[in-house]
Amino acid sequence: MASVASVLSKEQLLCPICLDVFNQPVSTPCGHNFCRGCIQRYWQTNNLPQCPMCKHKFYKRPDLKVNTFISEVASQFKEFGEKKCEDKTGCTGDVSCDVCIGKKVKALKSCLDCLASFCETHLEPHNVVGALKKHSLINPMMNMQDRVCKKHESLLDRFCNTDQMYVCRVCVTTDHKAHNTVRIEDESRDKRVQIGNINADLQEMIHNRLQKICEINQAVQLSKRNTERENEDSLQVFNKLLQVVQKGQAEVAEGIKAKQKQIESGASEIIIELEQEVHQLRHRTTDLEQLSHSEDDLYLLRSFPAFSTMPVMKDWSETYVESAEHVGTVRRAVRRAMCQLEETVKAEVKRLCETEFKRAQTWAVDVNLDPDTAHPKLVLSENKKQVYHGDQAASLPDNPARFYPCVSVLGKEGFSSGRIYYEVQVKGKTEWDIGVGLESVNRKGGNLLNPERGFWTLGMRKDGKYWALGSPPVCVPLVEMPQTVGVYVDLECGQVSFYNPDSRSHIYTFTGYTFSERLFPYFNPRRNHGRVNLAPLVILPAKI
């Protein structure tokens, strides 16, 4: 019966990570198998317990046990492979002497002329016999018969470049007479040079990839540090806001408590006074009750005048205690707390915007206008940094890249990765559109700008309103009219933001997009409307 190792193929026993035969194979809960060391290193590197094959995520890192069945099969396969390798030509191992009978003795040299391998004893004739001394000896090699021409039974010592095959000296004079043949030593020397060149290229490729791994690891570490910093900054902000809220809440609670205490204190004083008067009145009623039951009529008549008048008491009809609703007090306290919170929020928003804007500026790029995309009525400056709408159309070829009838123009440089930032002066203009557009945007047709059509832009109209041109457009209320607009794009995060560089404030951000092709800066100075909107859009120098 065939062994398991002889039935299974090597591919069935390879670890998907190291691509070698399993070593201490373990099975994940999703049913895939890996070397124990490979899967542990994978989880340590990725810091995420998931299967490398199906990407199934685990709630926690599973406690993996060695799969004994697969381990035994892999062990049998290794043993079978090693035994099979011993029987093959070219496998590492001891070469036996071809002359020794019985117990095989390790060969010392192989002879290319005798086509046999010899131990130290049987090699002796090659060292003393004159004719044998001229034979070519090499390090021991198995299956020397493979070096003999099957047709002429002569040593294969030539290489035919024409037929790309090994030939003997007889072949050179017969079948390969007109072919380009060279000695095997010469061909081997050339191949060694090629091997050296290939190895040098491979070493360079290895170096480049190791360098790329280093760059990626550095980027991951930088991202980790940035994430930690952002978490700390956001925590500080929320803690500060939470302190303001907690302080306001404490003040409101203290105010309510003090008011209640005041009410209870006033009510207690009134109750004490009322209880004293009740005591006096009850004492009078007791005296009157006793007088009414007196059997001495003369005594009753003489005593009655003293009890006939009502005792002098305070008028309590206008006395009341304030209710415990505290509406005015609470609202005033909450209003004060909210005002303080609003001031804190504004200060933090301003600080965060300034920080965000400074980071965006670090990605400043140099932008130039592309005249091949400009509408015929657009006038570009000589340095390709300014553009406005003129009255006369220039005679230009109507190439597919040129905008028409939209009075638009793109930047010369496109961007497919990373981050970019540039600033455009809009001073003196009553209308404009600024942003970025995909390389594939339609250059012919209407001037409808939105992300669905490949544009992410901010615009101003003659009524003085600013619009984020989405679907639908979003009116952006601004406290002050920007004289310059900064455009920031993060292609990896799918974000396009607009800033007012003068106040270092944020205007609007498009988020959640995927840019599958190059992005180009987009400019539309809009029509000049009888020279009212003649001021140019000016690309300011990059502050790198």
Side-chain angles (χ1 to χ4, degrees), residues 297-359:
D297 296 332
L298 180 60
Y299 172 76
L300 185 148
L301 292 174
R302 285 179 176 176
S303 301
F304 178 74
F307 294 99
S308 61
T309 58
M310 296 296 292
V312 179
M313 295 288 174
K314 184 178 179 179
D315 183 8
W316 296 98
S317 60
E318 299 297 327
T319 302
Y320 64 93
V321 176
E322 184 181 358
S323 66
E325 293 181 358
H326 313 292
V327 176
T329 304
V330 173
R331 285 182 178 175
R332 285 192 297 272
V334 172
R335 189 164 55 249
R336 285 195 303 271
M338 290 301 101
C339 289
Q340 185 177 357
L341 180 62
E342 183 180 9
E343 292 175 1
T344 304
V345 169
K346 286 181 178 179
E348 287 301 314
V349 168
K350 183 178 180 181
R351 184 184 67 81
L352 291 173
C353 283
E354 288 182 355
T355 303
E356 181 182 329
F357 174 72
K358 288 179 181 178
R359 290 178 184 172

Side-chain angles (χ1 to χ4, degrees), residues 494-517:
Q495 169 186 332
V496 180
S497 299
F498 299 90
Y499 297 91
N500 182 345
D502 298 324
S503 61
R504 297 188 172 186
S505 58
H506 173 259
I507 298 176
Y508 189 82
T509 294
F510 292 95
T511 58
Y513 292 92
T514 300
F515 305 123
S516 57
E517 55 185 280

Side-chain angles (χ1 to χ4, degrees), residues 403 410 435-443 448-457 469 471 496 513-515 517-522:
F403 283 94
L410 294 179
V436 290
L438 294 175
E439 186 174 14
S440 62
V441 293
N442 183 22
R443 316 292 174 92
L448 186 60
L449 304 179
N450 56 51
E452 285 69 26
R453 292 177 177 261
F455 294 97
W456 290 264
T457 55
L469 302 176
S471 300
V496 180
Y513 292 92
T514 300
F515 305 123
E517 55 185 280
R518 288 199 297 171
L519 280 176
F520 288 79
Y522 172 82

Side-chain angles (χ1 to χ4, degrees), residues 375 378 403-408 443 445-448 522 524 527:
H375 183 279
L378 290 184
F403 283 94
Y404 192 88
C406 306
V407 288
S408 306
R443 316 292 174 92
N447 195 23
L448 186 60
Y522 172 82
N524 187 337
R527 302 186 184 277

